[in-house]
Amino acid sequence: MTTRILDAYFRRILDIGGFAPVDSSLNGLQVDNDGAEIRKIAFAVDATLESFQRAADAGAGLLFVHHGLFWGKPLGVEGVHRGRIKFLLDHNLALYGVHLPLDQHPALGNNAALAALLGIETPEPFGEYHGRKIGYKGKLAKSLTIEEAVKRISFKDRPPLGVYPFGKKENQSCAVISGGAAHEALQAIDEEVDLYVTGEAAHEIYHQALEGRLNMIAGGHYSTEVWGVRRVMENCAAELNIEVEFIDAPTGL
């Protein structure tokens, strides 16, 4: 495997080109290697020095992340940013980032995985973001309490950031958007969804959810976004027959 081959593979399975007009992230290969063959791929949620060090220690030649290093604006190669890039170059470690295409993907994405964990039947697109819907909603195969929903989506049983039981005791429908999508709770209220699951809460949304009788779980930005990365990892292992490893580096946020 080379970075060129892997880039073509990721672009085939994820709609990277389709999100170019709306995603400020530099989706795709963010830092290349020197052309060396890649025998192992590491996967992590965030592009940080910790994840780089652990990927290098594991013998990975490429690190696939959800949150990369580049977000629309040019950054000076200085400070923490310089240190991260220097480590990648010094260790010949390639970096590949996929943001919104990984949130939205109907099979491999964060939101598809959350929908499956919660038992959403026939998921429909939900959550308008710059003209694209990146989340999913639908009826639940079996009614869930908010406590049961928390257990299903808690990666390694880590507690959520917040649980807001403002609606029904038994939820019949649910909408999900991973990460920082607190304000999309308003769309959940408008569409009369019982339960809304996202990563982060927001102060100004609290009373909106309370008055709209919406149950809401803020599962954590990190914890709601391990799922897509892990699904891509499993897909790579199965289709490419390459060694893979997940790097778990939770922030608690």
Side-chain angles (χ1 to χ4, degrees):
M1 289 292 159
T2 64
T3 56
R4 184 183 296 273
I5 291 171
L6 288 170
D7 180 45
Y9 171 75
F10 289 132
R11 288 180 181 277
R12 178 174 64 80
I13 66 171
L14 300 166
D15 186 19
I16 290 175
F19 274 89
V22 299
D23 193 351
S24 62
S25 175
L26 177 61
N27 291 306
L29 187 63
Q30 296 194 346
V31 178
D32 203 354
N33 68 6
D34 64 1
E37 183 179 352
I38 294 167
R39 295 184 173 87
K40 183 174 184 178
I41 307 172
F43 293 79
V45 174
D46 303 306
T48 65
L49 190 58
E50 178 186 356
S51 63
F52 298 169
Q53 290 170 334
R54 290 172 62 182
D57 289 345
L62 181 141
L63 176 64
F64 179 105
V65 298
H66 182 47
H67 302 132
L69 290 180
F70 302 99
W71 297 88
K73 294 181 180 180
L75 292 176
V77 183
E78 59 183 359
V80 169
H81 190 56
R82 179 187 184 277
R84 290 173 171 177
I85 292 174
K86 184 176 186 301
F87 185 92
L88 292 171
L89 296 176
D90 286 349
H91 292 80
N92 204 26
L93 177 63
L95 178 67
Y96 203 96
V98 183
H99 187 225
L100 292 184
L102 185 57
D103 286 319
Q104 182 271 341
H105 194 279
L108 303 176
N110 291 316
N111 296 315
L114 287 168
L117 288 169
L118 291 162
I120 295 178
E121 292 187 311
T122 317
E124 303 173 20
F126 168 84
E128 193 80 21
Y129 183 83
H130 292 296
R132 296 288 299 267
K133 292 186 176 182
I134 60 172
Y136 292 97
K137 71 170 186 177
K139 297 291 184 182
L140 295 169
K142 182 181 178 181
S143 63
L144 287 178
T145 65
I146 197 167
E147 294 81 10
E148 290 169 337
V150 165
K151 289 179 181 179
R152 291 195 182 191
I153 66 166
S154 294
F155 184 66
K156 294 189 175 181
D157 296 322
R158 291 170 184 150
L161 289 181
V163 179
Y164 308 96
F166 296 151
K168 301 175 182 177
K169 177 65 176 175
E170 296 283 337
N171 296 285
Q172 307 295 331
S173 61
C174 181
V176 298
I177 304 179
S178 67
H183 290 84
E184 281 65 31
L186 302 179
Q187 294 182 42
I189 293 169
D190 288 343
E191 297 181 30
E192 299 183 340
V193 171
D194 294 339
L195 172 65
Y196 178 56
V197 175
T198 187
E200 300 178 13
H203 175 78
E204 61 272 21
I205 293 300
Y206 180 94
H207 284 283
Q208 295 271 11
L210 176 63
E211 295 162 30
R213 297 182 179 180
L214 175 70
N215 287 322
M216 180 172 168
I217 299 171
H221 199 129
Y222 177 90
S223 291
T224 57
E225 297 196 324
V226 299
W227 306 105
V229 172
R230 290 174 62 82
R231 282 195 169 191
V232 173
M233 177 183 71
E234 292 162 0
N235 203 73
C236 284
E239 292 192 350
L240 301 178
N241 193 30
I242 192 170
E243 188 178 355
V244 298
E245 182 169 331
F246 178 66
I247 295 171
D248 186 24
T251 62
L253 299 172

